[in-house]
Each structure stands twice: as C-alpha cells, then as structure tokens.
Amino acid sequence: MSIQSLIIGLLALFFGFVLEHLPMPDLIGWFQPLWVLVVVTLLVFQAPRTFGLWLAVPAGLMLDAEHATLMGTHVFTMAIHIFLVQLFFRRMEVFNLFQQMGVVLVLALLHQLLRFWLAQVLFDYPHPIDIWGPALSSVFVWPWVFALLRLTVLRTHT
Amino acid sequence: MPAYQGQRTLLVCLLALALMWADQNYSIVQTLRFAAGYVLYPAQQAALIPSSIAGWFSELGTARQDLLDENRQLSARNLVLELKAQRLASLEAENAELRELLSASEQVDDKVLVTTVVAIDPDPFSQQVLINKGSENGVFIGQPVLDAYGLLGQVVDVLPFSSKVMMIADSNHAIPVQINRNGVRAIATGTGALDQLELIYVPNTADIKEGDLLVSSGLGGRYPRGYPVAVVDRVEHQAGQMFASVTARPSAHLDRSRLLLLVFSQGAGKVPSKDLWKGAR
C-alpha cells in the first residue's frame, strides 16, 4: 500500500462523488454515468495493492447515502464488483481500450442489475430500462477517466 | 488476487445484506447513514458549485431577460403607436383628398398642407387654435387656414413645429369678403362668438339677403380669392342708420374641425409680421 496512490485514489473518489452528485438536466440525467463505479474500477485495476475489497464498504455506504438506497445495497454490489475487477485485472492489462470498455460495460451492467434486483426485492424499482443508460454512459467515460488517472503517478501494482 | 478473496467478498456481501435487513427494521442504522452523509457533504457541496455559479449567471441572465422583455414591450408599443401615426397620416391624406374634392375644386388649385388642431386657446376672448405644423413645414405668419367647409382663419404665430391660428370669429379679426351672388364687397369681422360674424360697412341699400354666400374677395392680399367664408343669416335694415346690420354664420366649422389646410397660394398671405400684428391686435 502506497500513501501516494492512496491520496490520489481518495481524491479521485472525491471527484467521483462530486460528479455522481452533479445535478443533471432531466433529458441526460438518465445517462448520468456511474462515476464512483468507474473510479473504483480504475483504482482497483491500477492500484490493486492499495485498493481492494475494503473500498466496497466506505464507497458503498456513501453511495447508499448519496442515492438514498437501503444501507448496504451498494456495499453488496461494490463488493461483487471489486471482486470481479480483481478477477479480471490481469487480463484487462493486456486488453486494448475497446476490450476494456467491453469489460466495463459488463461490469456496470451487472452492478446495475444487482442494484435492480435488490431494489426489486425490497422496494418497487421504477423501470428495468433504467439499467442501461448509466451502464452505457459509464463505458464511454471509462477511457477518459483511465487516461486522466494515467497522467497521475498512479501506476500498476502499487 | 489476494488469498481467500472470494470468501471475503462473500463475507462482505453477507454483511451488506445484514445491514440492509437492519436498515429496514432498525432505525439505529440511520446514524451510519448520517455519518456517510457527513463524509459526502464536501463532495455534494463541490458538486453544487457549478449549479450555484449557473444560478448566479442565470440571475444575471434573468435581469438581462427582464430588460430584453421590457425593451420588446416598448418596441411593440412603439410599433403600435407608429402604426396609429401611420394610419393618421393616411387618413389625413385621404381627408385632404376628400376635402379637395369637397371644397369647390376650382378654388383649390393652391398648394395645401394638412395640419391638425392640437390645442385650443383657453382664453374666451380670443378664438385661436394651435396646429401641429410650424416653420419647419414652411408655415408663415399670415398664412390662410381652411377647413373642409371654408376659410377658418390665419396663422398669427409660428414656432418650429407648431403655429397659432387666429380664427375668423376672433373679435380682433376682419376679412374682406364679397357676396358670391353679385360681388358686393363687405368686411366680415369676428364677434368673439364662434357661430357669428358681423358684416360692417354694408350700405342700407346694398343688395344682400339671408342665405347669401360670402366668399373671400382677395382684397388686402391676405386671403386668396374665392373661398367660402360665411352664409348670411340675418339682415336688418334699420331706418335712419347708415349701414345695415348683417350677421353671418361662418362656413368653416370653427368649433368642430380638427383637420385643417394651410394654403400656399401665390400672392396671398405674404404680409410682414409686424403689419399683421398691428392688424390683429
């Protein structure tokens, strides 16, 4: 665990939450990317020794507070998400950008689907089509966030 | 992948499910939500910065929008007024045409300028009106003024964009006339009453009857010749008196006409203002 990547990672998470909270016009609000998910993915992918499963608890709880979901919902989805990223990150390193985007799409969709299932078990979730918008937009922000964090000193296996 | 990562993930997932169950059933988890909210607060505030800046800008924009709206309203109002003015101009032109047709066409071969009465002199002893044409329009002192039915008066004071017209009924006013029927000359003076002129110096023996039309004679060079001035409405021959007492009713609608004509006729009206004032006052 390196202090430097921890600080950069937390800063990135902070901005992830800022963007997550950013008020969006109704029209494109449906497409608001899962910023925190993307950042968490990237952190776990780029600095797996610093950011691991533990990140699921604070990030998940804050996401629950942010989205006013039942406490633990996002912890659950985040834990599974981080586990899958850790499972894939070796392969993701040799993937090109489009393959990475494909992985992010699958992961984001799974995250959304889990959220949807959990919400449906516990409440009435609006509409299943809501799953797709954020997942798709998350895929398209992935390369940018990836490139941005690559500019920092955050490097693989720190 | 650290060792036992799947089991750890499973553990975290189970904890999360337990937390969800607890959150649904016990309010104690709310404190956790509050704690998470506190941590979130800076991020949320940061997220609101753009929107508060946008709000500030939109406030600026609103003020600007208000101004634009006001401007638009004023422009629209201006347009309406201009439209009205345009209509007035066209009506004036139309009226002038009709007027030219109405007042015996042989008389109106003079150049005319249409004008509007904008004010009436409140002085009861003077019968004067203010018109909306002045020296900028070529109006000059002594210029004859007509309405649709006859001679109305003359210009006695000129300002750049307005003029004062003394009407023939003003008690200071006199106009040389002749009876249209036989050419007998007389002088019609104002009485101060709008509906009455007096003919002075009419010999008792003069051929004058009620209903005779009096037209301007053109003598004195002030008024052009041949415009209707008044209709005789009473003739009294008094024994022992040198002159007959004759009153006439002005042809022009002195108390009603709003649109007037300023006449530019050759040789008429061009009298030095000094002389005019002498005559008028």
Side-chain angles (χ1 to χ4, degrees):
Chain A
M1 185 181 279
S2 103
I3 295 294
Q4 203 176 34
S5 53
L6 187 67
I7 290 168
I8 292 167
L10 289 180
L11 267 175
L13 267 176
F14 175 80
F15 283 111
F17 274 104
V18 168
L19 288 168
E20 188 98 11
H21 189 71
L22 201 67
M24 298 283 260
D26 281 348
L27 194 66
I28 54 170
W30 189 66
F31 277 107
Q32 185 150 26
L34 305 160
W35 289 104
V36 174
L37 186 89
V38 170
V39 170
V40 165
T41 308
L42 203 78
L43 291 179
V44 175
F45 173 44
Q46 289 286 290
R49 289 184 191 166
T50 310
F51 297 104
L53 195 60
W54 66 269
L55 194 57
V57 177
L61 286 177
M62 278 163 72
L63 274 177
D64 284 332
E66 169 68 37
H67 292 291
T69 47
L70 212 57
M71 291 307 271
T73 310
H74 282 91
V75 178
F76 185 88
T77 58
M78 273 293 166
I80 292 175
H81 179 75
I82 290 169
F83 175 74
L84 290 174
V85 172
Q86 284 176 334
L87 207 61
F88 282 128
F89 87 95
R90 291 266 181 225
R91 256 164 260 184
M92 271 179 88
E93 275 176 357
V94 293
F95 281 174
N96 66 27
L97 195 62
F98 293 105
Q99 287 170 316
Q100 283 184 1
M101 283 164 76
V103 173
V104 171
L105 176 65
V106 171
L107 289 175
L109 271 176
L110 187 67
H111 170 85
Q112 288 287 89
L113 196 65
L114 280 174
R115 240 164 55 152
F116 175 68
W117 281 339
L118 282 173
Q120 229 180 22
V121 168
L122 302 164
F123 309 102
D124 286 329
Y125 203 75
H127 202 267
I129 201 137
D130 287 348
I131 294 169
W132 284 90
L136 282 170
S137 59
S138 301
V139 171
F140 290 106
V141 299
W142 168 263
W144 306 101
V145 178
F146 184 74
L148 206 67
L149 278 191
R150 268 297 172 94
L151 287 178
T152 67
V153 289
L154 201 66
R155 286 288 179 269
T156 314
H157 308 314
T158 53
Chain B
M1 171 86 72
Y4 304 114
Q5 192 65 4
Q7 287 87 333
R8 285 197 222 168
T9 306
L10 195 65
L11 188 67
V12 171
C13 284
L14 286 174
L15 276 172
L17 285 172
L19 193 63
M20 285 158 78
W21 173 81
D23 191 17
Q24 229 178 2
N25 295 295
Y26 302 101
S27 58
I28 188 98
V29 189
Q30 285 299 319
T31 53
L32 194 63
R33 187 185 291 278
F34 288 142
Y38 277 122
V39 179
L40 262 182
Y41 183 75
Q44 288 177 340
Q45 285 308 107
L48 290 177
I49 288 170
S51 90
S52 57
I53 290 174
W56 184 66
F57 270 109
S58 90
E59 214 168 71
L60 282 181
T62 312
R64 192 172 162 272
Q65 197 58 45
D66 284 349
L67 285 175
L68 283 175
D69 284 347
E70 198 183 330
N71 197 353
R72 210 166 291 133
Q73 275 178 6
L74 288 175
S75 301
R77 201 174 141 74
N78 189 26
L79 192 71
V80 169
L81 290 175
E82 249 171 3
L83 199 74
K84 277 185 182 168
Q86 249 175 36
R87 237 180 84 226
L88 188 70
S90 78
L91 282 175
E92 270 179 358
E94 197 184 332
N95 266 350
E97 269 183 30
L98 292 170
R99 198 157 298 143
E100 274 183 279
L101 288 173
L102 265 175
S103 18
S105 55
E106 95 238 12
Q107 295 160 356
V108 191
D109 46 9
D110 301 317
K111 250 180 74 190
V112 294
L113 178 67
V114 178
T115 180
T116 311
V117 173
V118 291
I120 313 278
D121 194 334
D123 183 357
F125 298 106
S126 84
Q127 299 295 349
Q128 295 186 350
V129 292
L130 199 72
I131 57 172
N132 67 347
K133 294 283 192 293
S135 58
E136 291 292 313
N137 309 102
V139 177
F140 54 91
I141 285 181
Q143 188 170 25
V145 181
L146 281 78
D147 77 351
Y149 310 98
L151 261 176
L152 182 120
Q154 60 177 297
V155 176
V156 292
D157 198 1
V158 178
L159 296 170
F161 298 102
S162 64
S163 310
K164 214 175 236 186
V165 174
M166 179 185 280
M167 295 199 282
I168 52 174
D170 192 293
S171 53
N172 284 322
H173 194 271
I175 174 173
V177 293
Q178 61 185 134
I179 297 165
N180 199 33
R181 180 165 55 85
N182 53 20
V184 170
R185 287 186 295 274
I187 293 173
T189 64
T191 59
L194 278 178
D195 57 353
Q196 201 172 50
L197 298 179
E198 235 176 270
L199 263 64
I200 53 173
Y201 313 130
V202 179
N204 244 340
T205 54
D207 179 14
I208 185 162
K209 293 188 291 191
E210 283 177 26
D212 277 344
L213 178 68
L214 303 172
V215 296
S216 56
S217 65
L219 299 173
R222 178 67 53 89
Y223 287 102
R225 220 190 123 264
Y227 285 103
V229 175
V231 176
V232 176
D233 63 354
R234 189 176 58 85
V235 182
E236 262 181 41
H237 296 287
Q238 287 167 330
Q241 293 281 328
M242 214 176 156
F243 300 112
S245 156
V246 181
T247 58
R249 172 177 288 272
S251 303
H253 293 178
L254 302 185
D255 52 348
R256 270 167 289 165
S257 285
R258 206 173 57 81
L259 292 176
L260 309 179
L261 291 172
L262 290 155
V263 182
F264 296 86
S265 60
Q266 278 115 14
K270 294 279 187 190
V271 175
S273 56
K274 208 172 64 181
D275 290 359
L276 176 86
W277 283 111
K278 243 187 236 163
R281 293 267 160 103

